[in-house]
């Protein structure tokens, strides 16, 4: 964490006397008197502006927190007390989450609810969706308005997914979650198959409907090792040839060929039949019957029962918006409070949705097959077996079928993922954002895509704020850089659900959470949402003789007792919140100014982004998931990842002076290394490169995609991502691209295997990748320097940079902390001094975010359109350097052998921490020398 600004205790300093200092400051300048006055006036203006931003940061810059509410059990008094507590802690916004509370989800009318004469259970009275819950929600928002705080509400009960009461959304409705099911029946040796199609199993009570999607026969490969279970599911992995036959048109129902209308089966019992004979002598054929069935997911708590919406079809979000209009936001007082607040948000957490009521491992919708045909230009039917995965959380499970041409199989899967990503974006996010923005004066904040096979970055176009989380990604910079690219490319605030650590509640002091927060800032995060807050208040025990069945010391938990953390007065560190919260707010204020200044866009499409990475703190052990050559980071390059599909948007521009997507970021160059890219993406990059965009194409890189999967990209951009038959056209576009003078192709001098040597080895990146990809040299040949560049490579400092029309902010962090890594393993940590060169000319100031003290740097250099200065950081320390672009005066000091030069009210000075002879060379070349004696330390 950042040290407070040191005082002059025990330090003697050489002060250049007022007369001499003034004369030296004026020397060599025409119109000295007016210049001095002008310089002072400019400094006052700049410092005043920074103090206005940082002394008492606005609520929008203050950290938020999740509040795990004990359903609707709060009284008005406890809500008001908690909101005051949160405000006094320095919290700027509160996220309302309904969590299960002991003793509410059963009938307690004979115990603690002795006066309950309503005929309802406590669950019905107090849980999510009840009038009590709605009243508590309304009061929280009204209190937020009173204190100038923002708020957010989850998209239903709990946090896991968007959901509605079962009275408004039943499991089998089109708007409820659906998944792919299948059942296999087999025929061998040309034997005719004739019989009723088998159905996939369903295990959730209340799910009945099973619509027939398709029937497909596919020929087994000779080397197949998989098998079919008694219920028609796959055991092991099935291998097939490229021969398949769509048999849907041969299916009958009660003797009549099926039609789209009769393939819908609300009863789940219709006797669909098939008669088919495979070609003679063609071995074994598996006949797949594919079904759409309810996921049956029911988040808790709820006044009745809640049902997860469909994340594919439009019906899901249509039902969601209709419910909120008619049952939540129909309260005029609540709606007015929301609109008046102006900072309200609806929050969608990571997609904790499951396909476990089916065996196909994919989410589905009634319109998916037709949308695939429309969007991709061919039918998915013949290839349906290839999208089957293990059931569970789609996106975190493996495929169960392989094909003879696995490259084509992968292309088909990519087209499937692209289609469901489009549908998630168009049918879920866009309509919800439009409704919130237009009707409720609210924003949509979301942890987009992950846990499902949606592309991780492209859906950012349809939200207002992008969020990540520290639970899944820990201190892994590369993971956070992916969602950073999604946010920054679209000009969105990037926030993080911060501080969740499983099994370690009430365990860690503040420095561990500051390490998480600072690491996130280094990745591009600019807003913190703590995980989280719970009231001291909670339900009593239902059994007076067993108080441990209710809420006991230290108070209501909410987020299950095992998950950290309980931010609030129960924590010993709460006595320091008045220091920590303003410091975090000041940093966030800095990191939300203007636009981020990222150097490089690493282009990568990812339909399998997940949290199953091998180590959540790779960065402190010189490791990386995706781009493994840390030579770029060590020289000051900042980079992040996003899909090249984002560049297909016609609004994307390149400016030689302001970079790529200049209105949001201004990337200086792009790097292409994945082996597959869509033709339209390549064409877009080519057009941008023709305008001067520097491009580096690098062959032969391995990516770590999960703890168990590494992937080698032998050559960059040699396949189209989808099954559109345009590989030859792609090759022509890439050939034209490579001929441009601002494009460099390099082949990495690294192992060309994803398994040997093992990429999980501790020294893999350092031994096989560092400085061996050729990207750093290619960027230098293209004239692309880091915007904030280290004079010499630095392995301990990370930076984030923002730019407004008149200020550049550089935030720097010595991330090698004495406390160790994310798991408290020891790491090398030392104080470091480094010279940073920024591509801007102006007068630099140091900002102390603990105190908002601002001091001009006494020693810096301007040359070649850049400003250079030294930064000294102890382990874990951060600092902010703000450069006033409107003031271009030379530094009062050219050089000194003292540890630090400072500018005081009396003039320029140097600080000495040890006795000795010190020399200072002033701006006009004058040298001042003095012997200094520093008093001994008192004991």
């Amino acid at each position: 964490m950042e040290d407070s600004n040191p005082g002059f205790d025990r330090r003697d300093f050489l002060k250049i006397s007022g007369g001499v200092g003034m004369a030296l400051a004026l020397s060599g300048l025409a119109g000295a008197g007016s210049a001095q006055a002008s310089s002072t006036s400019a400094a006052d203006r700049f410092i005043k502006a920074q103090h206005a931003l940082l002394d008492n940061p606005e609520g929008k810059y203050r950290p938020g927190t999740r509040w795990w509410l004990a359903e609707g059990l709060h009284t008005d008094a406890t809500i008001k007390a908690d909101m005051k507590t949160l405000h006094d802690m320095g919290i700027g916004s509160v996220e309302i989450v309904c969590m299960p509370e002991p003793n509410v989800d059963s009938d307690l009318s004979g115990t603690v609810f002795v006066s309950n004469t309503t005929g309802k259970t406590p669950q019905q009275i107090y849980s999510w969706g009840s009038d009590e819950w709605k009243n508590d929600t309304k009061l929280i928002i009204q209190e937020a308005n009173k204190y100038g705080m923002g708020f957010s509400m989850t998209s239903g009960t709990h946090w896991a997914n968007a959901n509605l009461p079962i009275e408004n959304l039943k499991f089998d409705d089109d708007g409820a979650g659906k998944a792919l099911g299948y059942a296999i029946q087999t025929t061998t040796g040309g034997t005719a198959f004739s019989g009723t199609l088998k159905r996939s199993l369903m295990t959730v009570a209340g799910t009945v409907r099973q619509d027939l999607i398709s029937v497909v026969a596919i020929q087994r490969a000779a080397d197949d090792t998989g098998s079919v279970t008694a219920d028609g599911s796959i055991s092991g992995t099935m291998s097939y040839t490229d021969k398949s036959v769509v048999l849907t048109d041969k299916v009958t129902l009660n003797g009549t060929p099926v039609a789209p209308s009769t393939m819908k089966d609300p009863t789940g019992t219709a006797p669909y039949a098939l008669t088919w004979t495979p070609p003679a002598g063609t071995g074994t054929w598996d006949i797949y019957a594919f079904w759409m069935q309810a996921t049956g997911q029911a988040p808790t708590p709820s006044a009745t029962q809640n049902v997860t919406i469909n994340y594919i079809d439009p019906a899901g979000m249509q039902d969601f918006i209709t419910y909120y209009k008619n049952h939540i936001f129909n309260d005029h007082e609540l709606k007015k409070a929301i609109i008046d607040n102006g900072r309200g948000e609806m929050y969608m957490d990571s997609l904790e949705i499951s396909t476990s009521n089916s065996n196909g491992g994919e989410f589905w919708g009634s319109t998916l097959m037709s949308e695939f045909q429309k969007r991709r230009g061919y039918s998915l039917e013949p290839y349906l077996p290839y999208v089957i995965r293990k059931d569970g959380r789609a996106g975190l499970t493996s495929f169960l079928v392989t094909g003879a041409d696995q490259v084509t199989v992968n292309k088909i899967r990519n087209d499937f993922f692209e289609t469901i990503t489009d549908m998630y974006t168009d049918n879920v996010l866009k309509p919800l954002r439009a409704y919130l923005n237009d009707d409720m004066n609210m924003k949509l904040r979301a942890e987009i895509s992950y846990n499902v096979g949606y592309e991780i970055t492209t859906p950012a176009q349809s939200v207002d704020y992008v969020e990540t989380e520290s639970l899944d990604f820990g201190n892994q910079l590369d993971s956070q850089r992916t969602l950073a690219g999604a946010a920054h490319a679209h000009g969105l605030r990037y926030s993080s659900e911060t501080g969740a650590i499983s099994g370690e509640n009430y365990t860690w002091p503040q420095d561990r959470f500051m390490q998480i927060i600072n690491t996130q800032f280094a990745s591009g995060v600019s807003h913190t949402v703590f995980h989280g807050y719970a009231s001291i208040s909670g339900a009593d025990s239902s059994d007076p003789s067993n108080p441990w069945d209710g809420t006991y010391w230290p108070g209501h938990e909410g987020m299950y007792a095992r998950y950290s953390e309980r931010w609030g007065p129960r924590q010993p560190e709460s006595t320091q919140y008045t220091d920590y919260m303003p410091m975090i707010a000041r940093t966030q204020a800095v990191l939300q100014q203007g636009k981020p200044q990222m150097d490089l866009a690493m282009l990568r499409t990812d339909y399998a982004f997940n949290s199953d990475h091998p180590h959540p703190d790779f960065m402190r052990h010189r490791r990386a998931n995706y781009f493994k050559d840390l030579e770029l980071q060590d020289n000051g390059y900042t980079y992040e990842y996003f899909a090249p599909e984002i560049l297909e948007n016609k609004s994307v521009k390149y400016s030689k002076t302001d970079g790529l997507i200049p209105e949001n970021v201004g990337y200086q160059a792009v790097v292409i290394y994945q082996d597959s890219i869509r033709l339209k993406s390549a064409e877009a990059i080519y057009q941008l490169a023709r305008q001067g965009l520097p491009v580096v194409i690098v062959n032969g890189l391995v990516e770590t995609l999960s703890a168990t999967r590494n992937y080698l990209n032998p050559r960059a951009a040699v396949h189209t991502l989808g099954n559109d038959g345009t590989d030859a056209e792609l090759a022509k576009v890439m050939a034209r691209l490579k001929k441009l003078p601002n494009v460099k192709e390099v082949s990495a001098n690294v192992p060309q295997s994803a398994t040997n040597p093992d990429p999980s080895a501790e020294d893999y990146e350092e031994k096989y990748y560092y400085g061996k990809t050729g990207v750093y040299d290619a960027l230098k040949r293209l004239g692309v320097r880091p915007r904030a560049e280290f004079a010499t490579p630095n392995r301990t400092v990370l930076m984030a940079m923002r730019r407004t029309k008149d200020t550049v902010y550089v935030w720097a962090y010595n991330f090698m902390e004495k406390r160790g890594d994310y798991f408290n393993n020891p790491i090398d940590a030392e104080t470091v001094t480094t010279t940073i060169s920024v591509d801007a000319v102006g007068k630099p100031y140091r900002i102390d975010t603990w105190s908002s003290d601002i001091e001009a740097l006494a020693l810096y250099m301007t040359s070649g359109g850049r400003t250079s200065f030294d930064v000294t950081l102890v382990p874990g320390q951060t600092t902010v350097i703000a450069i006033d672009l409107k003031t271009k005066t030379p530094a009062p000091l050219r050089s000194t052998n003292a540890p630090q030069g400072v500018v005081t009210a009396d003039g320029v000075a140097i600080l000495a921490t040890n006795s000795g002879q010190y020399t200072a060379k002033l701006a006009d070349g004058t040298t001042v020398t003095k012997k200094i004696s520093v008093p001994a330390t008192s004991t």
Side-chain angles (χ1 to χ4, degrees), residues 83-210:
M83 287 299 289
K84 184 178 187 304
T85 295
L86 289 164
H87 174 262
D88 293 348
M89 281 169 51
I91 295 298
S93 60
V94 59
E95 179 183 302
I96 307 165
V97 186
C98 186
M99 293 294 290
E101 171 69 7
N103 310 322
V104 176
D105 300 318
S106 59
D107 188 346
L108 304 177
S109 57
T111 54
V112 296
F113 292 95
V114 292
S115 61
N116 179 11
T117 59
T118 65
K120 297 180 179 179
T121 65
Q123 174 188 349
Q124 293 169 329
I125 298 171
Y126 292 100
S127 198
W128 190 95
S130 67
D131 289 342
E132 287 287 345
W133 167 255
K134 294 174 187 176
N135 180 75
D136 287 0
T137 300
K138 177 167 63 177
L139 184 56
I140 289 170
I141 296 170
Q142 290 171 334
E143 289 295 295
N145 292 355
K146 172 182 171 182
Y147 289 112
M149 299 168 67
F151 75 91
S152 61
M153 52 201 310
T154 53
S155 53
T157 191
H158 207 259
W159 71 77
N161 51 65
N163 52 80
L164 299 176
I166 198 165
E167 297 87 351
N168 304 92
L169 183 67
K170 295 178 174 54
F171 288 127
D172 287 338
D173 290 349
D174 283 348
K178 298 292 181 291
L180 176 69
Y182 71 93
I184 301 172
Q185 293 162 286
T186 299
T187 179
T188 302
T191 303
F193 173 86
S194 183
T196 301
L197 294 175
K198 184 176 288 188
R199 291 176 180 264
S200 53
L201 296 179
M202 295 191 293
T203 58
V204 175
T207 60
V208 176
R209 171 184 174 185
Q210 274 186 308

Side-chain angles (χ1 to χ4, degrees), residues 423-461:
M423 297 179 75
Y424 165 61
T425 300
D426 294 343
N427 297 338
V428 179
L429 298 180
K430 285 183 178 179
L432 179 56
R433 182 181 65 178
Y435 168 63
L436 295 173
N437 290 180
D438 297 344
D439 286 26
M440 300 303 303
N441 194 27
M442 293 175 71
K443 302 292 187 183
L444 175 59
R445 174 168 58 96
E447 294 179 22
I448 53 173
S449 298
Y450 67 92
N451 291 336
V452 181
Y454 301 144
E455 208 289 315
I456 187 63
T457 59
T458 55
Q461 65 183 289

Side-chain angles (χ1 to χ4, degrees), residues 494-515:
Y494 184 32
S495 59
S496 177
E497 173 196 328
T498 299
I501 305 174
S502 178
E504 299 182 15
N505 196 16
Y506 301 112
T507 301
W508 298 107
Q510 198 72 24
D511 66 337
R512 182 170 192 187
F513 296 104
M514 283 311 307
Q515 182 187 69

Side-chain angles (χ1 to χ4, degrees), residues 390 395-399 608 610-615 618 623 625 628 702-712 754-755 758-760:
K390 291 182 180 178
L396 301 180
T397 60
S398 57
F399 290 100
N610 62 65
S611 57
D612 187 26
H613 293 307
H615 196 295
F618 257 13
R623 306 293 308 280
N625 290 328
K628 294 180 176 292
V702 167
E703 296 180 283
T704 296
L705 302 180
S706 73
T708 58
R709 186 179 178 217
N710 296 286
Y711 183 80
L712 172 67
T755 57
D758 183 2
S760 66

Side-chain angles (χ1 to χ4, degrees), residues 4-13 911-914 933-938:
S4 297
N5 187 37
F8 285 11
D9 296 346
R10 297 184 50 254
R11 290 182 170 94
D12 192 12
F13 65 90
L911 297 180
T913 55
N914 296 297
S933 296
V934 177
T937 305
S938 59

